[in-house]
């Protein structure tokens, strides 16, 4: 009367219950197939910090055998993760926050949250960092979803230089008009006689 129990073929989260597998190939009492028992608080669907224990007890009295297995549901990977700046920004002397598009596909349509940071190992927050000066800036992101591994990466934010609409034309220095000086002298002499 031999019975054994194994972890599921796949323990990666997929939104379905992950049940252990009972092997009764060598079980001699085919009309008394045992059932697998789990802990009362075992969550066999979601990723948790608590391992799942599955056990089977067979026999009676002095002829009892127990088989058990412990396994953990592992987080899934996010796919098609993409973050990029949309629209354009032009330096205007004030801090500007870029608009970004952020997309990812999760298993079982779990909600995906994106957070951002100016530094790869910095503090991440819901707001995209703002920049003032013209230039290219690297922004780091983290995509997170329940039952999934975090996905990290970076994208570039570009702020263009402001273009002036005024054209300054340099002028040549002018020579004084000799007639203008004579005219001023004449006006000054006439005022002196009044």
């Amino acid at each position: 009367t031999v019975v054994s129990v194994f972890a599921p073929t796949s323990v990666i989260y997929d939104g379905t219950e992950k049940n252990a597998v009972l092997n009764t190939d060598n079980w001699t009492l085919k009309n008394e197939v045992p059932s697998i028992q789990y802990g009362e608080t075992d969550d066999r669907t979601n990723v948790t910090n608590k391992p799942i224990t599955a056990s089977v007890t067979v026999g009676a009295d002095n002829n009892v055998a127990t088989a058990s297995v412990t396994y953990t549901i592992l987080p899934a990977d996010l796919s098609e993760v993409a973050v990029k700046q949309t629209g354009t920004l032009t330096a205007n002397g004030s801090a500007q926050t870029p608009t970004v598009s952020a997309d990812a596909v999760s298993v079982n349509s779990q909600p995906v949250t994106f957070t951002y940071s100016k530094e790869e190992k910095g503090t991440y927050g819901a707001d995209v960092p703002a920049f003032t000066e013209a230039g290219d800036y690297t922004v780091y992101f983290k995509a997170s979803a329940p039952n999934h591994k975090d996905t990290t990466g970076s994208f570039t934010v570009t702020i263009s230089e402001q273009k002036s609409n005024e054209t300054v034309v340099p002028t040549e220095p002018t020579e004084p008009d000799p007639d203008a000086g004579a005219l001023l002298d004449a006006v000054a002499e006439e005022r002196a006689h009044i």
Side-chain angles (χ1 to χ4, degrees), residues 1-112:
T1 60
V2 178
V3 67
S4 53
V5 62
F6 300 98
T9 305
S10 172
V11 292
I12 297 174
Y13 171 81
D14 63 7
T16 64
E17 195 171 69
K18 299 293 186 180
N19 294 315
V21 179
L22 182 66
N23 182 350
T24 58
D25 290 347
N26 297 316
W27 178 243
T28 56
L29 304 175
K30 298 295 184 183
N31 59 336
E32 297 179 17
V33 178
S35 61
I36 300 174
Q37 303 298 314
Y38 297 94
E40 289 183 13
T41 60
D42 284 349
D43 182 346
R44 289 172 282 165
T45 302
N46 299 297
V47 176
T48 67
N49 293 327
K50 183 178 179 293
I52 300 164
T53 300
S55 62
V56 173
T57 301
V58 294
D61 300 328
N62 294 330
N63 188 20
V64 175
T66 300
S68 66
V69 66
T70 299
Y71 58 97
T72 302
I73 298 176
L74 302 177
D77 290 320
L78 292 170
S79 61
E80 300 178 38
V81 180
V83 181
K84 64 180 180 179
Q85 177 183 356
T86 59
T88 58
L89 293 176
T90 301
N92 61 10
S94 299
Q96 299 182 79
T97 302
T99 302
V100 300
S101 67
D103 299 298
V105 176
S106 64
V107 176
N108 203 32
S109 300
Q110 296 287 292
V112 181

Side-chain angles (χ1 to χ4, degrees), residues 129-151:
F131 302 95
T132 303
E133 303 297 327
D136 292 330
Y137 301 91
T138 299
V139 175
Y140 298 91
F141 70 84
K142 183 184 297 182
S144 306
N147 300 304
H148 290 71
K149 299 175 191 173
D150 287 347
T151 298

